[in-house]
């Protein structure tokens, strides 16, 4: 059940009405849990059972970690959880990848083998809820949070339908207290939820789905296309993946707000980053902070020697790349980002020794240049992320670098220009609103940036504008709803 | 009245306004489509009506004969040939619509009359499979819901009283937020460069493929084997289940025909003939035992009651003039029309 389909709208309306009609807190939790289970089982009831089953195991391990005093037994429990969760992930997501890679490696050394391709249906969102479960057991092991005593609360933490299939990756310490808190109807929350949903629908249905048409044909068979078409496709894909994923996240955040929950923010205008480190603080924040907290820092972070830091960058980004998908193209995407991070880290150290270089970087020209360089690096890395093979990625990169004549994309350029303009206008607005640092205790980032910038008497006008924006977005939506890209991860 | 914090009150106003504006806008756009721009939703009918307008404007004094029916009639009736080969006869315009049932033919006729045209006569084609379930078309959908306007609903309910619950369900599903459902079609008209290119191409193709008198000709002759094979398989999937066994006659068909004949009588329109269109021998193999003759009997008895001639043309054409077993090629159309003319001459003599 996709977020942008009538089926989801009906589902959401029914669950929303029932949720606020129920006066009992526990009944609401059970309702959300049942709705989440039903939501997931629309894809595959057996995989929904698997997710529920693995959540029960993690719940039991969490309770065990809380109850057991012996460090060795606690470590054993933690290992059981880590190995169990990663085994499920490895089996469902990476088994065929391992087998085909092993087969290719053996062929390289002259051993002809043929492993069968297993017919495995990977549970949607497995990478997301595996990381959520892992962060929970690690936090309980490290006594950062107490184990959740209520099984239903724990299961809702994992299964809550807005974040279940494509994040954001929530942490137990953020989400579990919210389940325990009594929910009261709050108009401000509803408003924030609505704003997020409208923003998400515009990003996904108007921008991402339209602009995808410029990327798909080129990434399917780039050999016939001109360099200009390849550049258009790379720009289109950069816009598509941002609007697709952040659009999904916005809808997820908005839907969660409608039920009185607040999910982690996942994006902060990442294409405005002026270096790759900043890009990762703005892009898929819930994943990058997870990798930082549970992988990079335990590996030593940037506290060790220079080479150790570089090794850590490489390891974390390689795993981050593979987290997205079982293919070497994702691994290369991760390695490329690791190299960017390493170069940036080294450059920063040089800047510390050369104050004049540092000052030059801080000028307007220097900032624009570093922004363009970062954007260029990120866009080129997307080629590996999107391409289905190295041959295709290589073909596109060669066409980007060496001008070639060839076919144009057989589509009118209006949707491309319009989508790009919308993204640029959105970013300019975002920057302008972000400058208004209003010292108000806020519910939410978007609320802070958008609503407080507008006087209260304009609320009905803003409401009407929001309603009109939603209808216009639905009218301009691409024909046929496409699945969110991150559903595959 | 509960007192609200100003910001909370602003949020409440904002949410309520937004929630009010969305359905109001959608319903407003739906009504606008229904009342002012029905041709945007049903471009095929719009093209046919514009052809009719142009032909009548060219020859205003010539008596008008309409052809009403489904895609079979669309492919078969070359109105220009019929009009030109008999300069003293009527001006023939084909206003048949793809997937049309007699109910839709009735609606088309009412629209033509509402636009101020008064045909002297008409030929009506009936799809045999329609008789097996007049509510559901062979494609498994209620008949042409997207072609209905709000003003047509009372007639639909009057003629299908036993299906009112099912129709209400289908209506609710198909007609809610129709401006959003048909957004690609709307966009193709408002801002073609933003519409899906295949939709724009389809619309252009649809308009170009209908000739000046409403005929949709298929000129590939012989039909490429691959196209014929694929088309026949589609026809098998769609029609064979509906024709395999005889079902008890539905009163809806008789009611629709009665309404149509009464309307014609009221408007002084002569119904020249009711037709079953030609089918290939392989297609006729879809009929179960007794179904072919059973369906003929139902239509002929209804026609007899109203003094209208029924022609069963299912075996009039050889197998090599079909595109997919039930749609005629241009050559097939000529063969069929010549035979039809002979039959009419014979009946007159």
């Amino acid at each position: 059940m996709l977020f942008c389909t009538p089926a989801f709208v009906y589902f959401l309306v029914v669950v929303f009405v029932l949720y606020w009609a129920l006066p009992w807190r526990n009944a609401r939790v059970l309702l959300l849990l049942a709705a989440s289970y039903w939501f997931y089982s629309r894809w595959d009831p057996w995989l929904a059972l698997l997710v529920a089953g693995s959540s029960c195991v993690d719940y039991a391990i969490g309770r065990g970690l809380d109850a057991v005093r012996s460090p060795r037994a606690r470590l054993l429990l933690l290992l059981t959880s880590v190995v169990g969760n990663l085994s499920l992930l490895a089996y469902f997501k990476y088994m065929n990848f391992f087998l085909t890679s092993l087969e290719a490696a053996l062929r390289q050394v002259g051993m002809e083998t043929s492993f069968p391709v297993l017919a495995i249906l990977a549970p949607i969102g497995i990478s997301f809820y595996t990381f959520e479960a892992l962060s929970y057991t690690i936090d309980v092991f490290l006594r950062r949070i107490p184990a959740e005593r209520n099984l239903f609360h724990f299961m809702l933490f994992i299964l809550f339908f807005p974040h279940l299939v494509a994040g954001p990756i929530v942490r137990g310490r953020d989400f579990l207290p919210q389940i325990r808190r009594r929910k009261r109807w709050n108009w401000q929350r509803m408003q924030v939820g609505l704003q997020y949903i409208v923003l998400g629908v515009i990003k996904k249905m108007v921008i991402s789905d339209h602009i995808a048409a410029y990327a798909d044909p080129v990434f399917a068979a780039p050999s016939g296309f001109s360099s200009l078409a390849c550049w258009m496709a790379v720009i289109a894909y950069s816009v598509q993946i941002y609007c697709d994923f952040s659009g999904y996240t916005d809808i997820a955040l908005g839907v969660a707000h409608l039920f009185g929950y607040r999910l982690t923010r996942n994006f902060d205008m990442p294409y405005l980053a002026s270096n790759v480190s900043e890009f990762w603080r703005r892009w898929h924040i819930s994943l990058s902070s997870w990798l930082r907290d549970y992988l990079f820092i335990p590996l030593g972070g940037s506290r060790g020697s220079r080479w150790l830091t570089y090794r850590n960058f490489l390891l974390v980004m390689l795993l981050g790349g593979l987290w997205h998908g079982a293919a070497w193209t994702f691994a290369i995407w991760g390695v490329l980002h690791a190299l960017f991070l390493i170069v940036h880290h080294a450059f920063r150290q040089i800047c510390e020794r050369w104050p004049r270089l540092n000052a030059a970087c801080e000028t307007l020209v220097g900032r624009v240049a570093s922004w363009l360089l970062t954007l260029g690096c990120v866009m080129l890395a997307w080629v590996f992320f999107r391409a289905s093979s190295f041959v295709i990625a290589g073909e596109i990169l060669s066409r980007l670098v060496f001008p070639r004549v060839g076919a144009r994309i057989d589509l009118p350029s209006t949707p491309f220009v319009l989508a790009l303009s919308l993204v640029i206008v959105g970013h300019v607005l975002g920057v302008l609103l972000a400058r208004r640092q209003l010292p108000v205790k806020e519910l939410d980032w978007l609320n802070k940036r958008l609503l407080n910038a507008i006087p209260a008497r304009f609320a009905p006008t803003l409401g009407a504008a929001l309603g009109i924006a939603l209808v216009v977005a639905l009218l301009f939506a691409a024909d046929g709803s496409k699945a969110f890209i991150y559903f595959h991860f | 009245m509960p007192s609200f914090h100003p910001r909370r009150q602003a949020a409440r106003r904002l949410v309520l306004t937004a929630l009010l504006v969305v359905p109001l806008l959608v319903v407003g756009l739906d009504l606008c489509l229904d009342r002012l721009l029905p041709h945007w939703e049903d471009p095929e009918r719009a093209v046919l009506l514009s052809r009719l307008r142009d032909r009548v404007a060219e020859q205003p004094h010539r008596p008008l004969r309409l052809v009403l029916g489904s895609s079979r009639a669309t492919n078969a009736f070359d109105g220009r040939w019929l009009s030109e080969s008999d300069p003293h006869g009527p001006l023939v315009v084909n206003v048949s619509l793809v997937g049309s049932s007699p109910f839709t033919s009735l609606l088309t006729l009412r629209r033509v009359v509402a636009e101020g045209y008064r045909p002297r006569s008409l030929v009506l084609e009936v799809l045999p499979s329609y008789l097996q379930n007049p509510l559901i078309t062979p494609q498994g959908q209620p008949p042409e819901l997207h072609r209905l306007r709000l003003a047509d609903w009372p007639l639909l309910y009057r003629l299908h009283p036993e299906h009112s619950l099912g129709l209400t369900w289908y209506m609710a599903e198909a007609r809610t937020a129709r401006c959003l459902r048909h957004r690609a079609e709307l966009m193709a008209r408002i801002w073609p460069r933003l519409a899906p290119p295949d939709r724009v191409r389809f619309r252009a193709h649809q308009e170009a493929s209908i000739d000046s008198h409403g005929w949709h000709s298929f000129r590939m002759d012989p039909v490429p084997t691959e196209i014929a094979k694929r088309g026949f398989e589609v026809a098998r999937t769609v029609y064979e289940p509906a024709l395999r066994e005889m079902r008890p006659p539905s009163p809806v068909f008789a009611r629709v025909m009665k309404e149509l004949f009464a309307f014609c009588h009221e408007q002084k329109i002569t119904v020249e003939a009711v037709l079953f269109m030609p089918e290939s021998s392989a297609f006729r193999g879809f009929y179960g035992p007794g179904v072919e003759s059973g369906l003929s009997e139902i239509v002929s008895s209804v026609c007899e009651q109203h003094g209208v001639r029924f022609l069963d043309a299912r075996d009039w054409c050889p197998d090599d003039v079909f595109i997919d077993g039930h749609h005629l090629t241009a050559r097939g159309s000529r063969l069929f029309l010549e035979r039809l003319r002979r039959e009419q001459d014979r009946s007159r003599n």
Side-chain angles (χ1 to χ4, degrees), chain A residues 173-229:
Chain A
R173 63 166 178 258
D174 296 328
F175 197 79
L176 287 166
Q178 293 189 56
I179 303 176
R180 288 190 283 270
R181 211 172 294 146
R182 180 175 289 280
K183 304 284 180 304
R184 288 203 177 85
W185 180 270
N186 184 332
W187 284 105
Q188 281 165 286
R189 226 180 226 297
M190 297 302 143
Q191 174 216 323
V192 172
L194 205 63
Q195 283 168 195
Y196 266 127
I197 291 171
V198 174
L199 196 63
V201 167
I202 293 172
K203 280 182 183 173
K204 167 66 182 161
M205 295 179 84
V206 180
I207 301 175
S208 169
D209 285 355
H210 273 296
I211 212 161
Y214 296 85
D216 293 345
V218 175
F219 278 96
S223 52
F225 286 97
S226 66
S227 292
L228 182 68

Side-chain angles (χ1 to χ4, degrees), chain B residues 51-244:
Chain B
R51 299 281 193 270
L52 172 68
R53 219 171 286 135
D54 295 345
R55 296 298 75 75
V56 172
E58 280 170 6
Q59 305 178 60
H61 303 299
R62 211 168 159 187
L64 177 65
R65 176 175 292 171
L66 290 183
V67 178
L68 291 161
S70 71
S71 56
R72 293 178 172 191
T74 304
N75 282 111
F77 279 90
D78 179 358
R80 189 164 63 174
W81 182 77
L82 286 169
S83 305
E84 285 173 359
S85 61
D86 182 9
H88 303 295
L91 169 71
V92 182
V93 180
N94 187 347
V95 287
S96 304
L97 293 163
V98 173
S100 178
S101 67
F103 178 75
T104 310
S105 297
L106 169 62
L107 291 181
T108 306
L109 183 61
R110 286 163 69 111
R111 300 242 159 100
V112 169
V113 171
E115 285 213 13
Y117 301 105
R118 190 62 55 85
R120 183 76 59 84
S121 59
L122 67 84
V123 175
L124 175 72
E125 182 252 328
V126 174
L127 202 62
S129 56
Y130 169 79
L131 298 174
Q132 292 286 76
N133 189 346
L135 176 64
I136 308 294
T137 61
Q139 286 78 14
Q141 291 293 318
E144 302 87 48
L145 283 185
H146 69 285
R147 294 195 160 124
L148 289 178
R149 294 168 66 177
L150 280 176
D152 301 325
W153 287 26
L155 181 66
L156 181 73
Y157 278 93
R158 185 152 59 78
L159 296 176
H160 298 78
E162 54 279 83
H163 299 124
S164 55
L165 202 67
L167 279 173
T168 307
W169 170 252
Y170 280 122
M171 288 292 192
E173 217 199 347
R175 306 305 286 164
T176 312
R178 57 210 258 206
C179 60
L180 301 180
R181 285 170 192 277
H182 298 289
R183 62 178 186 271
E185 186 56 49
L186 302 188
M187 206 50 73
R189 284 187 180 265
I190 301 168
W191 200 347
R193 292 182 72 79
L194 266 189
D198 53 343
R199 187 60 64 101
V200 178
R201 277 197 287 266
F202 175 72
R203 230 170 64 77
H205 169 76
Q206 193 181 38
E207 192 150 349
S209 61
I210 297 173
D211 85 345
S212 59
H213 288 65
W215 182 42
H216 191 143
S217 62
F218 190 89
R219 294 196 180 275
M220 275 189 207
D221 201 357
V223 180
T225 323
E226 191 51 39
I227 292 180
K229 208 170 146 188
R230 212 180 320 136
F232 187 74
E233 282 313 309
V234 172
R236 181 200 295 281
T237 320
V238 173
Y239 292 100
E240 197 179 20
L243 300 173
R244 203 176 292 141

Side-chain angles (χ1 to χ4, degrees), chain B residues 75-76 78 81 215-223 278 316-323 327-339:
Chain B
N75 282 111
D78 179 358
W81 182 77
W215 182 42
H216 191 143
S217 62
F218 190 89
R219 294 196 180 275
M220 275 189 207
D221 201 357
V223 180
W316 283 11
C317 293
D319 286 349
D320 63 341
V321 296
F322 290 94
I323 305 165
H327 289 103
L328 289 167
T329 60
R331 185 162 62 92
S333 153
R334 189 60 53 84
L335 285 175
F336 162 71
L337 292 178
E338 280 166 354
R339 170 83 188 262

